[in-house]
DNA sequence: TTTCATATACTGGAAAACCAGTAGAAAAAG
DNA sequence: CTTTTTCTACTGGTTTTCCAGTATATGAAA
């Protein structure tokens, strides 16, 4: 699709005025802009959206806002404006945060250290329906940390099976019935799982297992 | 970066011969190919990688393999070949599956219904360090299902706080001490959380909360 | 000001999990 | 064939969670 397009309406949800100023200048210089709307809080933005003003093409969304976190806001925006492209725009370079934002409806993420041209390129990619990341985020996503990959202890086949059933909310008695073993056996497997994951209870076990993509 | 590049080595991990045949033809027609290696199981692929043959530029990875699931394989490949680009190549169009593959080191995903040109474009994007999806996957990622967005029950501020602490593995007594309230209060919050999420225990609560990106 | 939602706290009890230990059979690996 | 790993199962006990109910104070919304 051509990059010539109708003038854009872009919303900036960001609580640092100097950042807003800089973004405005970059956007105006390099994109066909109809309007740029600035919001310092999530609440302000949501209220404005609910007033039903003209559509927003792109939202540049900080993760850290004074009144709510950007991930919750992202999900809420996506409900209200399903066709709007949301790009994270933040200092946070934590991989799981980026993935969380994507999981909540964003289609890209730009670190605040990105150059003007990177920012514009990401917005254009987003408008083309691409998933759009600034360069450093691409590197972060393509190379999961060594710690993240190595931290996974080896689980036996039976342990994995029991882990999944625990995550489904089944009690040890339930699991014992399903697998036709003694509840004592299930309890031993649970204990072994908790030792391998270095946790003390089922809640932490499931949290850790989910983080390690074992479920 | 130019798309003229050194001849590529591409691995196809796929158990349907007709799919492998079709992929081969597409790749040979449109890319500078040094070698195409075919594997029908994850184990075959891992063994070959461990023999230390020449590097692989791109892996096209089915999710459903006879001997293991593609997500586990993806993670294992990424440990062994950190600089190789892995693209999912599957019939599964479930959004969470795509996100899981990305979380495990893949840099893209192609549905099997993609055209030849889409496949080539994705591979070229991946080689450029882009996150690369075929068109339908882009649509799926950009529009989380209404069900997925709406299913999240509203949690109060205190509930969210207690949910996080439960996920950290803290007992109700621990949480009560930290928040300077009665353990009975924490127990009531837990019960309310479980009712809202329609679960019966902490393991299922944490699993569900993670799926809903509340943690 | 009133109503509703949230947060707090308790009773009495049962169920489940966690703890630390021990131990043997079967399967897998060397 | 031997050794190691996995899976199985139990004892005795404590801690924690889950259950269903009730109730009041405070804050927020109408």
């Amino acid at each position: 699709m051509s990059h010539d397009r109708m003038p854009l309406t872009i919303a900036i949800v960001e609580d640092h005025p100097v950042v807003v100023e800089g973004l405005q200048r970059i956007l105006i210089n390099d994109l066909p802009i109809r309007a740029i709307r600035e919001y310092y809080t999530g609440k302000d933005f949501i209220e404005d959206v609910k007033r039903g003003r003209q559509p927003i093409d792109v939202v540049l969304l900080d993760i850290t806002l004074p009144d709510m976190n950007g991930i919750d806001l992202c999900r809420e925006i996506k409900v209200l404006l399903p066709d709007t492209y949301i790009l994270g725009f933040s200092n946070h370079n934590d991989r799981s945060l980026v993935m969380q934002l994507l999981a909540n409806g964003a289609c890209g993420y730009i670190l605040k250290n990105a150059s003007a041209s990177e920012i514009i390129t990401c917005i254009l990619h987003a408008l083309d329906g691409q998933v759009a990341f600034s360069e450093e985020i691409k590197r972060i996503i393509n190379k999961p940390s060594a710690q993240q990959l190595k931290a996974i202890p080896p689980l036996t086949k039976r342990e994995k099976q029991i882990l999944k059933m625990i995550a489904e909310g089944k009690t040890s008695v339930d699991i014992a019935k399903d697998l036709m073993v003694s509840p004592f056996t299930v309890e031993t497997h649970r204990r072994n799982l908790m030792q391998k994951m270095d946790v003390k209870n089922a809640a932490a076990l499931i949290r850790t297992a989910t983080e390690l993509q074992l479920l």
Side-chain angles (χ1 to χ4, degrees), chain A residues 8-156:
Chain A
L8 302 168
T9 300
I10 298 182
I12 302 173
V13 192
E14 163 66 49
D15 60 331
H16 294 121
V18 64
V19 173
V20 176
E21 185 68 27
L23 266 177
Q24 273 220 19
R25 285 171 171 275
I26 290 168
L27 299 177
I28 290 171
N29 281 351
D30 293 299
L31 289 174
I33 296 295
R34 179 199 295 122
I36 294 177
R37 299 191 206 152
E38 307 159 24
Y39 305 89
Y40 294 88
T41 66
K43 188 184 176 204
D44 286 344
F45 182 62
I46 291 298
E47 282 174 357
D48 204 38
V49 164
K50 285 183 171 176
R51 282 192 207 106
R53 291 172 63 182
Q54 69 184 339
I56 298 169
D57 299 296
V58 177
V59 179
L60 297 175
L61 180 62
D62 200 353
I63 303 299
T64 310
L65 295 168
D67 61 337
M68 64 196 295
N69 81 69
I71 294 170
D72 291 336
L73 181 54
C74 184
R75 183 167 60 242
E76 205 169 334
I77 298 170
K78 206 65 186 175
V79 173
L80 294 169
L81 303 172
D83 297 318
T84 296
Y85 296 106
I86 306 170
L87 295 168
F89 188 78
S90 181
N91 278 326
H92 297 288
N93 63 3
D94 175 46
R95 188 179 197 275
S96 68
L97 200 60
V98 177
M99 304 306 291
Q100 261 188 44
L101 206 73
L102 289 181
N104 279 280
C107 62
Y109 195 102
I110 306 169
L111 274 178
K112 280 182 176 173
N113 67 0
S115 67
S117 66
E118 277 189 272
I119 292 170
I120 297 301
T121 300
C122 284
I123 293 171
L124 293 172
H125 278 141
L127 289 163
D128 273 345
Q130 306 275 353
V131 177
F133 299 113
S134 58
E135 293 303 309
E136 193 173 329
I137 297 297
K138 287 176 191 170
R139 281 193 286 278
I140 287 165
I141 287 180
N142 281 329
K143 290 194 197 273
S145 66
Q147 182 190 29
Q148 190 176 6
L149 288 164
K150 286 199 214 152
I152 300 160
L155 299 186
T156 67

